[in-house]
């Protein structure tokens, strides 16, 4: 019995040291990160089947939004996280249309490629201030109407990323930046053209 306890204790210690070594090995390249952004999404068109009252958003509603995301910055260039947001739907075309509130929950992924090539050899610059940005989101949208309407939501976007803190590669927190994106999004039977500005830190 004592031998079994010793084997278990040894195995647990080995797992602990292994996990610690793995954390230390990846810690320099993987950091917890937050993102916050505001945006405005003009109405593009409805899609899907009409209900008793038409589409979920049937009055050419635009959407003002606020999103917050938390996740992992991977190797400085990648981000994967979870986000929640709020939407304010309103119509500029139909003045009598009632404004509505909505909420979203989604997985957010983005990539900020900065690898460059000289004579066929890839390398990471020692200094950089600007980088392109592309990403996607997938999740769900709830419209705070009488029926609490729920639909899937999806978005693809591209934009520009400005490293305001240092602009230096391979330094702690050099991924702190402001960004701007333009994309195409679908939720609540409607396609939107979201324009967003955000802050990552």
């Amino acid at each position: 019995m004592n031998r079994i306890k010793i084997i278990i204790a040894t195995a647990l210690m080995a797992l602990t040291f292994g996990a610690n070594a793995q954390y230390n090995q990846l810690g320099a390249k993987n950091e917890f990160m937050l993102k916050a952004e505001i945006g405005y999404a003009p109405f593009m068109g409805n899609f899907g089947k009409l209900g008793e009252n038409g589409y979920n958003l049937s009055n050419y509603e635009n959407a003002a939004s606020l999103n917050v995301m938390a996740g992992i910055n991977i190797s400085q260039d990648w981000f994967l996280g979870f986000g929640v947001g709020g939407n304010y739907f309103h119509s500029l075309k139909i003045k009598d249309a009632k404004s509505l509130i909505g909420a979203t929950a989604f997985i957010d992924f983005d990539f900020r490629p900065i690898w460059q090539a000289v004579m066929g050899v890839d390398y990471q610059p020692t200094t950089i201030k600007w980088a392109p940005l592309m990403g996607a989101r997938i999740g769900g949208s709830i419209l705070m109407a009488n029926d609490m309407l729920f639909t899937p939501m999806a978005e693809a976007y591209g934009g520009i990323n400005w490293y305001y803190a240092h602009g230096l590669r391979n330094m702690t927190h050099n991924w702190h930046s402001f960004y701007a994106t333009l994309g195409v999004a679908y939720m609540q039977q409607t396609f939107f053209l979201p324009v967003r500005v955000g802050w990552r830190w």
Side-chain angles (χ1 to χ4, degrees):
M1 190 65 170
N2 288 336
R3 182 179 297 177
I4 294 174
K5 289 182 178 179
I6 292 172
I7 292 173
I8 293 172
T10 304
L12 289 174
M13 289 177 63
L15 286 173
T16 302
F17 286 127
N20 187 50
Q22 183 73 5
Y23 174 81
N24 290 334
Q25 180 181 358
L26 299 177
K29 293 185 177 181
N30 300 286
E31 300 282 347
F32 177 76
M33 185 172 74
L34 294 171
K35 293 167 60 178
E37 63 186 23
I38 57 173
Y40 192 78
F43 171 90
M44 290 182 63
N46 292 120
F47 178 81
K49 294 182 179 180
L50 289 167
E52 293 181 2
N53 300 315
Y55 294 107
N56 293 352
L57 298 170
S58 57
N59 294 311
Y60 306 96
E61 286 93 339
N62 301 321
S65 63
L66 172 65
N67 296 320
V68 178
M69 292 138 281
I72 300 175
N73 194 63
I74 304 168
S75 296
Q76 300 187 38
D77 298 333
W78 305 79
F79 171 78
L80 179 63
F82 178 76
V84 294
N87 294 300
Y88 174 71
F89 298 101
H90 65 286
S91 178
L92 298 176
K93 191 171 183 178
I94 301 177
K95 294 183 179 180
D96 295 335
K98 183 180 178 181
S99 297
L100 298 168
I101 300 295
T104 56
F106 53 88
I107 295 172
D108 182 41
F109 162 81
D110 74 44
F111 176 49
R112 307 174 305 280
I114 68 155
W115 289 90
Q116 297 183 8
V118 175
M119 299 178 65
V121 178
D122 291 336
Y123 77 101
Q124 284 181 303
T126 56
T127 63
I128 188 167
K129 291 184 178 180
W130 299 92
L133 168 66
M134 59 191 74
R137 294 171 182 172
I138 186 167
S141 168
I142 296 177
L143 188 63
M144 307 298 184
N146 293 336
D147 298 329
M148 296 293 286
L149 300 170
F150 174 83
T151 68
M153 66 85 65
E155 180 178 339
Y157 58 88
I160 190 75
N161 193 80
W162 174 48
Y163 295 98
Y164 67 87
H166 308 285
L168 299 178
R169 299 295 295 167
N170 300 318
M171 290 185 64
T172 304
H173 302 269
N174 70 331
W175 37 259
H176 287 201
S177 64
F178 294 111
Y179 61 89
T181 64
L182 173 66
V184 176
Y186 169 81
M187 60 182 165
Q188 296 299 330
Q189 298 181 300
T190 306
F191 282 102
F192 296 94
L193 190 70
V195 179
R196 307 186 192 279
V197 292
W199 177 35
R200 65 173 79 242
W201 74 97

